[in-house]
Amino acid sequence: MTNRVALIAGNWKMNLDHQQAIALVQKLAWSLKDAGHDYSTAEVVVFPPFTDIRSVQNLIDADKFELGLGAQDLSKFDNGAYTGEVSGAFLSKLAVDYVLVGHSERRTYHNEDDVTIQAKTAAAFRHGLVPVICVGETLEELESQGAAAVPIRQTIAALAGHEALGDFVIAYEPVWAIGTGKVATPEEAASVCGKIRAAIAEEHGAEIADKTRILYGGSVKAANVAGFLRSPEVDGVLVGGASLDADEFSGIARFQKHLAL
Ligand code: PGA
């Protein structure tokens, strides 16, 4: 870790309706409060499905929870005849702070390519949302090209061609580690995150590279989070399955207590 504030992001994927969402967020906020969580050292953000966002936002507002709010996707368009799409403008009106862009499940099941992901990144910037740009290699790509080549190419493509770069986050998620229980070693994760940062510095300058948070994701749990965050190259984690359990996710957010061990 460095002076970049850690980001602990919970991607719920297509789980939990709005009532279940309220119960989970309440439990999470109370669990973090009981533990005396210091949000200034580790920001905690939930990424519920679209249908939950309004309810979660109301709850965060009414109870003054310090949790951040994210969405799992956005349209590359701002409005119009795009049935089923959700505009970044609507998300920012709901006080959404972050939006996942290019998650590997979007790349795989919805054929999102680098061009689409660049356009969605642009839409996030237009609407004042911080894109969490997800990158990572498949097992085949790992075997043929090594770990860093694909995530670097995807990062550079998502960040190319913007008039100005707003704040963004990169989440390095090896596809072979997502939802599989197979985890990259902390050394592997740190090495790829470091190479991504070096590539950002080369393309966009050291200042942008230094302030950008680069997360690791893929089968992160309370029991293994500290290993990743011990490295100064890894600024947080993107958590899928384990973010659906309030106690487990709260344990991940409190990774600092494991660092001392
Ligand atoms: P997982 O998912 O933690 O369940 O592996 C991570 C992700 O897809 O963001």
Side-chain angles (χ1 to χ4, degrees):
M1 291 295 310
T2 58
N3 55 353
R4 295 181 288 269
V5 174
L7 176 60
I8 309 298
N11 171 16
W12 296 1
K13 310 193 179 188
M14 198 174 70
N15 293 293
L16 308 182
D17 62 34
H18 73 286
Q19 287 167 335
Q20 295 168 318
I22 289 171
L24 178 62
V25 169
Q26 256 161 350
K27 199 167 169 205
L28 175 63
W30 285 108
S31 159
L32 289 167
K33 188 170 186 198
D34 283 350
H37 181 69
D38 180 0
Y39 287 86
S40 68
T41 61
E43 198 180 337
V44 183
V45 182
V46 292
F47 292 74
F50 288 129
T51 48
D52 300 358
I53 286 178
R54 178 66 166 149
S55 309
V56 172
Q57 183 236 340
N58 277 340
L59 177 65
I60 288 176
D61 236 34
D63 290 4
K64 303 197 169 28
F65 291 152
E66 290 180 76
L67 297 168
L69 185 56
Q72 297 175 18
D73 186 28
L74 84 171
S75 175
K76 64 181 175 181
F77 303 109
D78 293 344
N79 62 283
Y82 302 105
T83 301
E85 294 282 279
V86 174
S87 167
F90 308 157
L91 297 174
S92 78
K93 194 88 181 195
L94 285 173
V96 167
D97 311 294
Y98 293 92
V99 61
L100 299 184
V101 174
H103 188 278
S104 74
E105 286 148 19
R106 303 288 318 170
R107 292 182 193 258
T108 305
Y109 305 134
H110 300 271
N111 298 319
E112 290 193 9
D113 59 10
D114 286 343
V115 174
T116 304
I117 289 159
Q118 191 275 353
K120 290 189 172 193
T121 302
F125 290 151
R126 275 201 301 284
H127 297 292
L129 301 162
V130 177
V132 178
I133 302 162
C134 303
V135 300
E137 79 288 358
T138 62
L139 197 51
E140 277 167 16
E141 289 165 337
L142 175 69
E143 280 158 7
S144 62
Q145 304 172 50
V150 170
I152 286 176
R153 184 179 54 67
Q154 291 172 338
T155 301
I156 298 305
L159 298 177
H162 301 283
E163 252 171 52
L165 289 180
D167 286 340
F168 61 91
V169 173
I170 302 291
Y172 167 54
E173 300 201 300
V175 179
W176 48 269
I178 296 179
T180 57
K182 286 193 197 125
V183 198
T185 65
E187 294 72 25
E188 286 166 338
S191 155
V192 177
C193 290
K195 288 176 184 164
I196 293 173
R197 191 178 308 284
I200 295 172
E202 199 168 303
E203 293 284 318
H204 300 284
E207 199 181 318
I208 289 180
D210 281 350
K211 71 172 186 181
T212 296
R213 289 177 291 179
I214 303 183
L215 319 182
Y216 168 76
S219 297
V220 172
K221 299 182 184 55
N224 63 19
V225 65
F228 298 108
L229 291 173
R230 199 164 269 136
S231 163
E233 294 297 350
V234 182
D235 303 310
V237 283
L238 179 56
V239 185
S243 71
L244 298 172
D245 179 318
D247 291 330
E248 181 72 15
F249 191 53
S250 149
I252 292 172
R254 289 180 287 113
F255 68 92
Q256 264 141 341
K257 90 175 177 349
H258 305 288
L259 289 185
L261 299 180

